[in-house]
Amino acid sequence: MTASPGSIRSRRRLDHQPLTADTRPLSLRRLNRWQAECLREDLADLYTESCATPPGGEYRLRKDFLRRLTRDTWRPGFALLTAQAPDLAGYAFGFSVPRDGTWWSGFRGPLPPEVARLTASGQIFAISGMVVRPAERYHGLADRLQERLLADHRALLGATLVDRTHRAACAGFRSRGWRDIGLLYRSPGPTVLRVLVLPLGEGKAAEPGASRTMQDPAAAGASEARHARRSHRMSSEVSGVSSEG
């Protein structure tokens, strides 16, 4: 089944306005892998639209995104959350981190004990993609998508991997309370990803931050926090999230 000519992307309007309390109502909808497959072209359209891409690079960017999306939709515990008003304004998707710990393969150094424990108990959810339409940024939509997706899975720890060269995206996550626990190396290629986690619910009582390997951005002082917020405003609303493997 494929999207009809009257699909989301065909209804886009050039005069699209940001979502505010005075404009159209926002609807969050959770989709399964089959529904995600029907929307894959629309998701790819918004992804390429939201990323800064050099001329001629759109095709490869789109192809890589669709490859990652297809791979993730078949992971156990996959879920996609879309925001529509009524056009597609943004989305986030992810999956449950496997209990066997294979998702952490390539992590540099020992995994923080609390992260290892929550992995073995199946209480970690990985956000592998989050995109917000450029016109809708700075209105809290990314926060709503993140909170709803993690809450729906009752995870005690959120996790994500971000290319360490995407400093603005990393700063955006930190400004939302995510914590840096180290680097992870993935092949093929020299890909180095920064591992960020977000303690949730009961997990906050024994935060991975207690580990010496955890870097708490708040500990760096108010100046760094202000810098993170400024970098977040300059970022692509976390459109650079990547969870390979």
Side-chain angles (χ1 to χ4, degrees):
M1 182 177 180
T2 59
S4 65
S7 63
I8 293 173
R9 58 178 165 155
S10 65
R11 295 196 304 268
R12 288 179 179 168
R13 301 192 308 178
L14 295 178
D15 61 342
H16 188 82
Q17 297 298 318
L19 297 172
T20 68
D22 298 325
T23 58
R24 296 159 294 175
L26 176 67
S27 173
L28 297 184
R29 182 187 179 197
R30 182 177 173 181
L31 307 179
N32 58 31
R33 61 171 54 97
W34 308 111
Q35 294 168 317
E37 177 64 23
C38 293
L39 276 180
R40 65 194 310 269
E41 296 301 328
D42 297 305
L43 300 177
D45 283 349
L46 185 54
Y47 178 76
T48 53
E49 176 186 333
S50 303
C51 294
T53 310
E58 293 86 355
Y59 174 77
R60 181 172 182 177
L61 186 73
R62 183 188 185 88
K63 182 179 179 181
D64 289 345
F65 170 80
L66 288 172
R67 175 183 58 81
R68 295 195 304 270
L69 177 64
T70 299
R71 178 203 58 207
D72 287 349
T73 57
W74 289 102
R75 294 181 187 270
F78 170 83
L80 166 69
L81 187 67
T82 63
Q84 295 176 263
D87 298 343
L88 184 64
Y91 58 85
F93 60 89
F95 51 87
S96 300
V97 172
R99 295 170 182 258
D100 60 10
T102 54
W103 192 71
W104 301 108
S105 178
F107 186 83
R108 185 174 183 178
L111 196 65
E114 185 66 9
V115 175
R117 182 185 72 79
L118 291 175
T119 298
S121 62
Q123 294 176 303
I124 302 181
F125 188 84
I127 293 181
S128 55
M130 188 185 298
V131 178
V132 172
R133 182 186 295 279
E136 314 296 359
R137 293 172 189 164
Y138 323 122
H139 296 283
L141 181 53
D143 290 329
R144 292 184 61 182
L145 288 168
Q146 167 190 295
E147 292 169 4
R148 174 71 176 275
L149 188 61
L150 293 174
D152 283 351
H153 287 78
R154 300 181 180 179
L156 293 186
L157 191 71
T160 195
L161 306 177
V162 182
D163 189 320
R164 69 172 179 177
T165 63
H166 295 172
R167 297 180 181 179
C170 290
F173 272 107
R174 292 191 184 105
S175 72
R176 292 187 176 92
W178 290 72
R179 301 188 174 196
D180 187 337
I181 64 171
L183 300 175
L184 186 146
Y185 296 81
R186 286 280 162 85
S187 59
T191 303
V192 181
L193 304 170
R194 192 161 294 283
V195 183
L196 302 169
V197 298
L198 179 69
L200 304 161
E202 297 176 3
K204 292 183 179 181
E207 292 184 357
S211 169
R212 293 182 62 185
T213 61
M214 177 70 78
Q215 304 169 16
D216 186 348
S223 176
E224 182 176 340
R226 287 193 298 270
H227 173 71
R229 286 192 292 270
R230 286 196 299 268
S231 297
H232 166 56
R233 288 194 294 268
M234 296 170 60
S235 73
S236 59
E237 197 78 6
V238 205
S239 63
V241 178
S242 171
S243 288
E244 297 290 341

